Amino acid sequence: QVQLVESGGGLVQAGGSLRLSCAASGRISSINAMGWYRQAPGKQRELVAAITNTGSTNYAGSVKGRFTISRDSAKNTVYLQMNSLKPEDTAVYYCNAGALTVNWVKYGVDYWGQGTQVTVSS
């Protein structure tokens, strides 16, 4: 089992910044990637950014150039630095950990955090 604990959500004005953190514990060897998804009211949950244990990254087009995902292997923690925030970034952000193929397709183990609210005011 893998447990994910998220922090860093909150309220910010448009153009501001936030940094989300997700600390993983448990059977870390069972995962090879961590990432962030978000879900706004009335919308599907969507991938924001992901990073593998080799350092490869993947971003949603809507956040590319504004958000940066990084990982501290020693702390088993992934971060999402969010800059130039827009009202459309408002959502519940969920940390995710699991296994991915080289084509970024999920397989096997899959774990989720509890979610943290990010609200961006205009």
Side-chain angles (χ1 to χ4, degrees):
Q1 294 291 314
V2 172
Q3 295 78 46
L4 304 175
V5 179
E6 302 159 328
S7 62
L11 280 72
V12 66
Q13 291 189 342
S17 299
L18 285 173
R19 189 180 77 156
L20 306 183
S21 299
C22 176
S25 61
R27 195 170 177 269
I28 306 300
S29 61
S30 67
I31 64 176
N32 67 3
M34 296 181 67
W36 294 92
Y37 287 72
R38 67 186 181 187
Q39 187 166 26
K43 299 181 66 177
Q44 288 186 249
R45 188 174 298 187
E46 64 175 349
L47 174 70
V48 178
I51 186 167
T52 71
N53 58 0
T54 61
S56 297
T57 58
N58 194 16
Y59 294 92
S62 60
V63 308
K64 195 171 296 183
R66 299 188 297 121
F67 293 8
T68 302
I69 190 169
S70 61
R71 187 174 186 177
D72 185 335
S73 297
K75 297 181 179 180
N76 296 316
T77 300
V78 67
Y79 304 94
L80 185 67
Q81 179 66 45
M82 304 185 293
N83 298 326
S84 302
L85 282 162
K86 305 174 181 179
E88 50 262 45
D89 295 318
T90 296
V92 177
Y93 284 69
Y94 296 91
C95 183
N96 177 240
L100 299 177
T101 71
V102 295
N103 294 318
W104 299 91
V105 177
K106 288 185 176 182
Y107 73 95
V109 296
D110 191 30
Y111 304 97
W112 293 90
Q114 79 285 353
T116 184
Q117 177 71 47
V118 172
T119 302
V120 184
S121 62
S122 61

